[in-house]
Amino acid sequence: MVEVVEIESLFNYAMKGQWKEVLEVCKNNPRALETKVTKAEDSVLHIAVYVGQTIFLTTLLENINEDVSLAILNIPNSKGNTPLHLAAELGKVDICNTIAKRDPKLILCRNFKDETPLYLAAIHGTKDAFYCLHGHLQNKDDYSPCIKSNGDTILHSTISNEYFG
């Protein structure tokens, strides 16, 4: 179990950009990686994506057990967004690539609005992130990640948001 003090430390270290300290806490207590440290239920990985900490994320994923990394990459925040959803939305191509290489199935994961990371990249106009994720799709003939259950497609959404490129 992760203590409240440890959660506060993780949050404070991440907010101050003290990523070596975050790694140390996680090394001493691997369950800390599963902990939601913000009111929006973000994990340390979500925060790392927000601030573009590619090196931290890569180092972390290279130094932990594959099962643990798959588990923490699947942790949603209060909107159902995994770290890959955020990376796609924000256009963090290196992070998209790192995560998608580790678990390409995350490209198909849907948040609470029924959006995949690929869909979010398209509707936010982060073209390079979209192409990166599309390149990692295992079945290029499957268009389901580009369509919401209500029928909205990335084509409709990108046109309505005026992302014509």
Side-chain angles (χ1 to χ4, degrees), residues 42-83:
D42 291 317
S43 69
V44 171
L45 287 184
H46 288 92
I47 294 171
V49 171
Y50 281 124
V51 298
Q53 274 297 318
T54 307
I55 294 171
F56 165 79
L57 194 91
T58 304
T59 302
L60 179 70
L61 293 177
E62 288 173 354
N63 290 293
I64 60 174
N65 174 302
E66 186 175 345
D67 291 338
V68 173
S69 72
L70 294 176
I72 62 172
L73 289 172
N74 278 282
I75 294 174
N77 65 11
S78 63
K79 294 180 180 180
N81 289 328
T82 65

Side-chain angles (χ1 to χ4, degrees), residues 37-149:
V37 296
T38 68
K39 289 183 181 184
E41 298 180 13
D42 291 317
S43 69
V44 171
L45 287 184
H46 288 92
I47 294 171
V49 171
Y50 281 124
V51 298
Q53 274 297 318
T54 307
I55 294 171
F56 165 79
L57 194 91
T58 304
T59 302
L60 179 70
L61 293 177
E62 288 173 354
N63 290 293
I64 60 174
N65 174 302
E66 186 175 345
D67 291 338
V68 173
S69 72
L70 294 176
I72 62 172
L73 289 172
N74 278 282
I75 294 174
N77 65 11
S78 63
K79 294 180 180 180
N81 289 328
T82 65
L84 185 57
H85 281 91
L86 299 179
E89 181 178 339
L90 298 171
K92 309 280 185 183
V93 178
D94 291 339
I95 294 175
C96 286
N97 190 46
T98 298
I99 294 172
K101 274 199 287 192
R102 182 58 66 121
D103 187 3
K105 292 181 204 130
L106 281 169
I107 300 168
L108 307 175
C109 182
R110 294 183 180 273
N111 65 14
F112 297 147
K113 289 185 175 180
D114 198 35
E115 301 160 326
T116 63
L118 190 68
Y119 190 93
L120 284 176
I123 67 169
H124 288 282
T126 56
K127 185 167 53 174
D128 291 338
F130 176 84
Y131 288 130
C132 170
L133 293 175
H134 185 269
H136 284 284
L137 280 175
Q138 294 176 333
N139 181 358
K140 305 263 192 275
D141 294 329
D142 178 11
Y143 297 104
S144 65
C146 303
I147 303 169
K148 290 173 59 172
S149 60

Side-chain angles (χ1 to χ4, degrees), residues 145-163:
C146 303
I147 303 169
K148 290 173 59 172
S149 60
N150 67 1
D152 287 349
T153 69
I154 59 169
L155 180 61
H156 296 112
S157 298
T158 54
I159 290 171
S160 69
N161 289 328
E162 298 183 11
Y163 294 120

Side-chain angles (χ1 to χ4, degrees), residues 4-55:
V4 173
V5 173
E6 223 168 24
I7 294 170
E8 289 176 11
S9 295
L10 271 176
F11 175 78
N12 290 330
Y13 289 146
M15 291 291 100
K16 292 177 184 175
Q18 296 173 317
W19 296 101
K20 286 182 183 179
E21 288 80 357
V22 171
L23 281 173
E24 191 62 31
V25 170
C26 295
K27 181 179 167 186
N28 294 330
N29 186 351
R31 298 214 39 124
L33 292 168
E34 300 170 14
T35 305
K36 297 184 179 196
V37 296
T38 68
K39 289 183 181 184
E41 298 180 13
D42 291 317
S43 69
V44 171
L45 287 184
H46 288 92
I47 294 171
V49 171
Y50 281 124
V51 298
Q53 274 297 318
T54 307
I55 294 171

